[in-house]
Every structure is written in C-alpha cells, then in structure tokens.
C-alpha cells in the first residue's frame, strides 16, 4: 500500500515526459539556440560591450539582434535536420563551459587562445577541472533535455533544399536590421573595442577553431621545412674547451614582479648575488606558450610575423644542428611546440625523483638532475634548452616546495576567485622566488663544469595578469594585451672562460641591456654567440654584435 502511494505521483510525470516530444522546424531550433547563446552564454560580452554605453537600451537591442542573427547565420551553415541535434548539443555544452572560463578569468577566445587550449596537456587540464564546473554543467541540462526530446520536422526534397537558403537570407537581414537600430553606437563600439568580437560565444569558437587548425597545429601536424642548411660554425683554436650554452625558456614570468627590475619584493636574490646581466625592458613575441615558443626560435619573429611560415619551418635549434652544434631540449612542461621536432628531447615531467617529484608533477629542479652527464654524452659545443613549469597558472601554489612559501598568506587552490588578489600575488611571487633558486643553481652547476666554457640565457615566454583590470592568466590577443602579459624578464650569465674565449666585453653587453629588447633578438644573438655563419643571421638583431669578436 505504502509503496503504491510513493510511486503513484511519479508515474504520470514520467509518462508525460515520455510522450512530450515537441515538433519544431530545424530553423526554429536554430533560432532558439541562437537566442539562448546570446542571453545565457555571453556575460563577459555584454559587460564589455555596454561598459562604454551604460544604460543604452538602443545599443543593447542592436547587439542582441546582431549577435542572435550572427549565430543564426553560422548555425544555419552547420546544422541541418540530420545533424542539428548533435551539433547544437556540442555547442550548448562548449559555449557554457567557455563562458564560465571567460567570465572567471576575463579570457578572450581568439584563434591563438584556442590553439593554446588544444595544446594543453592532461596535467594542465586536470588543474582546471574544479568544482566550479558544476555550475555550467547544471545550466546545460535543461536545454539539453529539451533538445533531446524535440523532433525536427521532415520536408520534401524541394523544401529541404530551399529552406536553408531562405533562413540564411533572413539571418543576414536580421543582422542588418539590428545594425540599423543603433548604427552610430555600434560603429563606435566596433571601431574602439574591436576585441569584443572575441567575446561573442560560440561565434568565437566557430570562427577561431578552423583558423587554429590551419597549417601546423596541435591536431593536424605538418612536416617542418628546412632552414639554415648553409649554417657553418667558425673553426675553434686547437685545445679550446667546448662551449656549453644553456637557454632557460621561463614560463609565465612577468617583468613587473622581477626583483632585478626594481620590484618592491626581492624575488631574485640568487640572481642578484650571481651578478647576472639583466634586461629590464624585454618584450615577448606572444602572450601564450603556443605562440611565443615557435616565434622566439624563428628568424622571422614578431617583426616579420607570419604564423604559417613560423610554424611550418624549422627553428634556431635545427640551424645549430646544421652547423654541427648538438642540441638538447629538457622539458618539465608541455613540450617544445615543434621547436625541437626531430631533435633530442628529454621529458622530465613524469620523472620519479624523491624530493623533486610528487604525484604527477615535478618541481623545476628536476631539469638540473643529471644534466652534466647528459651534456658530456656528446662531444663538442652544445646548446641545451631547459623548459620549466615556472609560474604557469592558475595553480601557482603548486609550483614551489614548501621551503619557498615565503610570502603569505597564499592562494592554495586553482580557483582564483576564492582568493584575494594579495593571496594570488603572494603565491605567484613564491613561484618566482623558486625560479630564481633554480636559475642560481643552474649558474652554480655551470660554474663547476670546468671542462666547458659555459653561459646561460634566461628569458620568459610571456607574462601574466594577476587581477589588473579584472584580468587573470594570459593569452590575450596581442594587439590589446596589457603589458603584464607582454613584458618579461631576461637575464644572462657568462663564465670567465666563455667571456675570454669569445672576447666578450661584458660592460658593452650591460650597456645593450639598458635598451629595449624583444624575443626577435634571440635567434641571431645565439647564432652570433656560438659563432655560426648563415644567411639567416642578422647582425642588427644580435645583442653581442660589436661586444664580442666577430665570426
């Protein structure tokens, strides 16, 4: 009796749900999805677009019509009766998840950011899988249920072919009509805030994804075209020690928090004691690793930027190999992004070294473990690249051992929204303090390798936003990126033997360091420092030209 009473109310509801199957035209479903996207998946878009026109109902209406019409147009090209439900389902979930991260960190989704997301490894992805994702997941359930239950109308062949064209024309008219509601305000917005287009979701995904996959990409790989095959190293004097240059490509270190640059906190005590040459006005080629790494190791860089050409060709390391200088890439991050393709690479992020590794992460000190032996395994001049985890967010607290928890209180969660800005900065500075320790340890190790003439160049790939103007992390479109994401630290150290062998005037280099510099200088500077002759070498972009013996 009691069992029957408990079940009785549920039966009609379940029966009704099984019978409830609303019939809709495919175009009606697309329109409903477009309206949902405009209202539920574009919080950051609305806040940014209306910030300069608060309370403007005309502009708000114009944007609603244009945004909805644009999504109708894009979806009308992708969704047909036979695939509309899976396409809309995928877009519903991806839009709400994208909107969640965009709102939380003020992220702009352009092609470079999408490429960066596609290249994210499982460890980085795991750090972003937090309890806050339950919100967009819950938001997606009602529209997914509706989508699952609806039945799309069938049409004859003639109508099935004509209706999509009519729908696309209507969508274009919708966009045009929306633009006429507030033409002056809309024109001013698109002229003064062009970056707002990267916030319109899922339009940014639908437009950016094909661009991110074009040419060489994290998904589709294309063979690298050779460069610098004419490279030749200048002959060394008999009895000369081999040269060892270690290039440390820092991760997400920003110039603003670099102690050597005059930051209020001393985050670089080790480097200060080592007497390195510091470059206080250094600028990155990109705002994300996926962009900066290929760019800074290419001959074209930012000054002649061509993404397809940079990604489609070999790098500085290949040119060194052509010249007979062997290279090695040691990685504690997410790989070399094609820079070391086909060359020696050692992945250390999955190492099991007590004291340096725990769980599925290793501290950056692992990059020095066994380094001398790896260098000595091959004779002659060598260039080794160390790629640390550095200050990669949002889990800054997880980038340093407990002994480096100097600045407190810290933000001990990847959900930055649960921490104060000061806690976030404290964790970031602690990670930078540990980077300084690793760099100082690298210099000490190189100083003990007296069978080599040694040198070290440290430069970060890009910077980081820590709450300035509401921005966090990195990856903003370069044209609008704040300087916190584009200004990075760079420092150099040379052993006495290396400086003497290259007849390097360190006072001259210190003078050069005071001038503005950028990633574009790395390619020719390394070639010049290692005395490699090639047509790709540009003396105008060699920091050591005029400060060292010529090749």
């Amino acid at each position: 009796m009691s069992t029957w009473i408990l079940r009785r109310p549920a039966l009609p509801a379940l029966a009704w749900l099984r019978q409830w199957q609303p019939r809709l035209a495919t175009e009606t479903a697309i329109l409903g999805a477009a309206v949902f996207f405009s209202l539920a998946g574009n919080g950051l878009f609305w806040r940014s677009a209306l910030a300069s026109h608060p309370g403007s109902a005309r502009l708000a209406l114009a944007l609603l019509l244009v945004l909805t019409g644009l999504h109708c147009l894009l979806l009308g090209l992708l969704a047909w009766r036979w695939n509309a439900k899976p396409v809309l389902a995928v877009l519903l979930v991806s839009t709400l998840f994208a909107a969640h991260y965009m709102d939380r960190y003020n992220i702009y989704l352009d092609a470079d950011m999408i490429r960066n997301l596609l290249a994210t490894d499982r460890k980085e992805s795991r750090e972003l899988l937090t309890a806050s994702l339950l919100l967009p997941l819950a938001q997606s359930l009602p529209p997914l249920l509706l989508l699952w239950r609806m039945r799309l109308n069938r049409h004859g062949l003639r109508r099935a072919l004509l209706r999509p064209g009519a729908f696309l024309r209507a969508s274009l008219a919708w966009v045009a009509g929306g633009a006429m509601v507030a033409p002056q305000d809309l024109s001013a917005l698109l002229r003064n805030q062009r970056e707002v287009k990267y916030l319109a979701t899922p339009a940014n995904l639908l437009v950016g994804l094909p661009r991110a996959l074009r040419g060489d990409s994290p998904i589709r790989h294309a063979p690298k075209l050779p460069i610098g095959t004419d490279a030749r190293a200048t002959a060394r004097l008999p009895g000369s020690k081999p040269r060892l240059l270690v290039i440390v490509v820092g991760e997400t270190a920003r110039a603003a928090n670099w102690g050597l640059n005059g930051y209020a906190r001393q985050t670089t005590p080790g480097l200060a004691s080592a007497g390195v040459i510091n470059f206080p006005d250094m600028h990155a080629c990109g705002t994300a690793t996926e962009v900066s790494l290929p760019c800074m190791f290419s001959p074209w860089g930012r000054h002649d930027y061509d993404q397809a050409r940079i990604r489609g060709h070999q790098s500085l390391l290949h040119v060194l190999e052509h010249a007979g200088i062997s290279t090695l890439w040691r990685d504690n991050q997410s790989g070399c992004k094609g820079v070391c393709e086909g060359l020696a690479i050692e992945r250390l992020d999955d190492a099991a070294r007590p004291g340096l590794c725990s769980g599925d992460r290793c501290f950056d000190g692992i990059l020095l473990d066994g380094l001398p032996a790896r260098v000595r395994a091959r004779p002659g001049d060598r260039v080794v690249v160390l790629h640390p985890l550095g200050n990669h967010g949002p889990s800054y607290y997880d980038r340093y051992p407990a002994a480096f928890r100097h600045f407190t209180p810290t933000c001990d969660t990847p959900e930055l929204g649960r921490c104060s800005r000061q806690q976030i900065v404290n964790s970031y500075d602690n990670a930078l303090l540990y980077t300084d320790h690793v760099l100082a340890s690298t210099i000490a190790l190189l100083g003990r390798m007296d069978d080599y003439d040694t040198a070290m160049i440290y430069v970060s790939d890009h910077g980081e936003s820590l709450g300035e103007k509401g921005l966090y992390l990195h990856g903003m479109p370069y044209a609008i990126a704040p300087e916190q994401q584009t200004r990075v630290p760079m420092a150099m150290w040379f052993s006495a033997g290396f400086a003497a062998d290259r007849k390097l005037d360190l006072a001259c280099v210190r003078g050069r360091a005071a001038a503005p510099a950028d990633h574009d200088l790395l390619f020719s500077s390394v070639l010049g420092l290692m005395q490699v002759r090639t047509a790709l070498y540009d003396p105008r972009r060699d920091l050591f030209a005029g400060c060292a013996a010529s090749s």
Side-chain angles (χ1 to χ4, degrees), residues 450-469:
D450 53 11
D451 51 335
Y452 282 83
D453 289 331
T454 55
M456 183 194 78
I457 297 175
Y458 169 81
V459 61
S460 182
D461 59 351
H462 55 80
E464 185 88 329
S465 288
L466 297 176
E468 298 85 5
K469 298 181 179 179

Side-chain angles (χ1 to χ4, degrees), residues 108 110 112-113 195 198 282-288 291-292 295 301-303 305 461-463 474-483 485-488 517-520:
Y108 287 67
D110 64 342
D112 286 337
M113 174 58 81
E195 68 276 8
Y198 300 123
M282 182 69 183
H283 300 262
C285 185
T287 62
V291 175
S292 280
C295 181
R302 175 59 58 179
H303 70 276
Y305 190 74
D461 59 351
H462 55 80
H474 53 266
M476 286 277 286
Y478 197 87
I480 62 167
E483 70 169 17
Q485 296 188 28
T486 59
R487 285 194 61 197
V488 296
D518 54 43
H519 276 167
D520 289 12

Side-chain angles (χ1 to χ4, degrees), residues 435-507:
T435 291
D436 168 77
H437 167 74
V438 172
L439 293 175
S441 299
T442 303
I443 292 172
L445 183 150
L446 294 176
R448 294 191 298 270
M449 295 181 66
D450 53 11
D451 51 335
Y452 282 83
D453 289 331
T454 55
M456 183 194 78
I457 297 175
Y458 169 81
V459 61
S460 182
D461 59 351
H462 55 80
E464 185 88 329
S465 288
L466 297 176
E468 298 85 5
K469 298 181 179 179
L471 297 175
Y472 289 92
L473 304 182
H474 53 266
M476 286 277 286
Y478 197 87
I480 62 167
E483 70 169 17
Q484 289 85 2
Q485 296 188 28
T486 59
R487 285 194 61 197
V488 296
M490 183 165 83
M492 297 180 181
W493 173 87
F494 304 94
S495 70
F498 193 103
D501 180 71
R502 281 294 285 114
K503 296 180 174 59
L504 189 61
D505 184 347
L506 297 184

Side-chain angles (χ1 to χ4, degrees), residues 292-315:
S292 280
L293 270 190
C295 181
M296 66 198 292
F297 281 88
S298 82
W300 301 289
R302 175 59 58 179
H303 70 276
D304 194 16
Y305 190 74
D306 184 327
Q307 185 182 96
R309 181 166 59 168
I310 289 173
R311 291 183 174 279
H313 287 79
Q314 294 177 342
S315 74

Side-chain angles (χ1 to χ4, degrees), residues 509-522:
V509 179
R510 289 185 190 278
R512 295 277 178 88
D518 54 43
H519 276 167
D520 289 12
L521 302 176
L522 183 68

Side-chain angles (χ1 to χ4, degrees), residues 98-164:
H100 169 77
Y101 284 114
M102 290 166 67
D103 284 341
R104 185 163 289 262
Y105 301 115
N106 263 15
I107 291 173
Y108 287 67
L109 277 180
D110 64 342
D112 286 337
M113 174 58 81
I114 293 174
R115 183 180 292 107
N116 203 43
L117 292 172
L118 292 174
T120 299
D121 62 21
R122 59 180 176 83
K123 296 180 181 179
E124 292 176 356
S125 301
R126 191 178 303 145
E127 291 179 356
L128 296 173
L129 298 178
T130 63
S132 63
L133 291 178
L134 293 175
L135 177 60
L137 183 61
Q139 290 173 331
S140 68
L141 293 179
L144 284 176
L145 177 62
L146 175 61
L147 188 62
W148 174 60
R149 295 304 300 167
M150 73 171 55
R151 297 181 65 182
L152 300 178
N153 293 334
R154 292 179 178 271
H155 300 290
L157 179 61
R158 177 182 173 81
R159 292 188 66 189
L161 294 175
L162 294 178
R163 287 175 66 93

